[in-house]
Amino acid sequence: DKNAALVRANASLEENFQQTIVGFAHALEESDRYTRGHSERVSMYARIIAVGMRLPEPEIDQVVQAALLHDIGKIGIRYDKLNKPGKLTPEEIALFRSHPSKGKRILEPIPCMRHLIDGAHCHHEHVDGSGYPQGLMGDGIPLLGRIVAVADTYDAMTSDRAYRKALPHLAAMHEIDRCSGSQFDAAVVEVFLREIELFRRNRVGAGLEIPR
């Protein structure tokens, strides 16, 4: 009976944890109509990559959770100032680029979320060292960050933004492939390019909507 009670208690804690993550993601997206659903789609694409890389189930869950919270640092940014048709000023670019570090500061004080920090803090790092906020290179970028980077970029390119319409799927795929080995981890890109096509074919077969 005690063991069964412990199992139920652990299951309840895990459910509460999952709901907290989703709640954070929803709170973030309520402030910006252009990113509604973005975190959930990024987590879906990140799962596709993690499964394609044959990561253990606990690591797949970590990837999905980290992807849901990858933009949590944007909670502290006034996005009405950044969602505009024209180019961003240097000050606005600096404001936007502050969100990975803000995300790290938000998650650090929460013990049960510290294992998700790398997804929020490192998803704008580039394998050639040209990214931010730390200028990490290659395998020095945590795998969470390398996976979320590809998933995040694909969804950003195939979604409408204030400054441009969504790109077609093939154009986004070409751009991700072009940046393989410079912006993105080549091994992650290889898995994504293969698995996203399988995913899209399965969704078409099931009559579900996909990016065009």
Side-chain angles (χ1 to χ4, degrees), residues 13-145:
L13 285 172
E14 178 63 23
E15 182 180 357
N16 288 338
F17 177 59
Q18 296 290 348
Q19 290 174 346
T20 299
I21 291 175
V22 172
F24 268 127
H26 287 172
L28 165 65
E29 294 179 355
E30 281 300 311
S31 64
D32 181 11
R33 68 186 179 91
Y34 287 103
T35 59
R36 300 279 168 83
H38 172 68
S39 296
E40 291 181 354
R41 293 191 301 271
V42 171
S43 72
M44 176 178 66
Y45 298 137
R47 174 186 285 278
I48 290 169
I49 295 170
V51 171
M53 296 181 75
R54 299 182 179 177
L55 298 182
E57 195 63 36
E59 292 184 27
I60 293 173
D61 290 342
Q62 183 182 8
V63 167
V64 171
Q65 293 164 357
L68 273 171
L69 294 183
H70 76 283
D71 274 344
I72 193 67
K74 291 181 180 178
I75 282 180
I77 295 176
R78 286 280 305 276
Y79 257 67
D80 56 333
K81 294 186 176 182
L82 302 185
N83 282 328
K84 63 180 188 180
K87 288 181 64 175
L88 297 180
T89 66
E91 292 77 14
E92 289 167 339
I93 291 173
L95 180 63
F96 173 81
R97 290 190 171 191
S98 70
H99 80 268
S101 296
K102 289 179 184 293
K104 181 175 184 285
R105 289 198 296 273
I106 289 170
L107 296 176
E108 269 183 332
I110 309 172
C112 64
M113 292 188 178
R114 287 176 186 157
H115 65 300
L116 309 180
I117 287 174
D118 288 339
H121 196 216
C122 301
H123 67 281
H124 283 293
E125 301 286 357
H126 297 172
V127 295
D128 65 2
S130 64
Y132 62 90
Q134 300 176 91
L136 302 178
M137 295 182 66
D139 291 342
I141 304 170
L143 181 59
L144 269 180

Side-chain angles (χ1 to χ4, degrees), residues 150-175:
V150 173
D152 177 48
T153 301
Y154 176 76
D155 188 68
M157 287 193 293
T158 55
S159 302
D160 287 335
R161 291 291 187 265
Y163 48 88
R164 60 149 177 81
K165 298 295 288 182
L167 294 179
H169 164 70
L170 289 178
M173 295 285 281
H174 174 76
E175 184 64 14

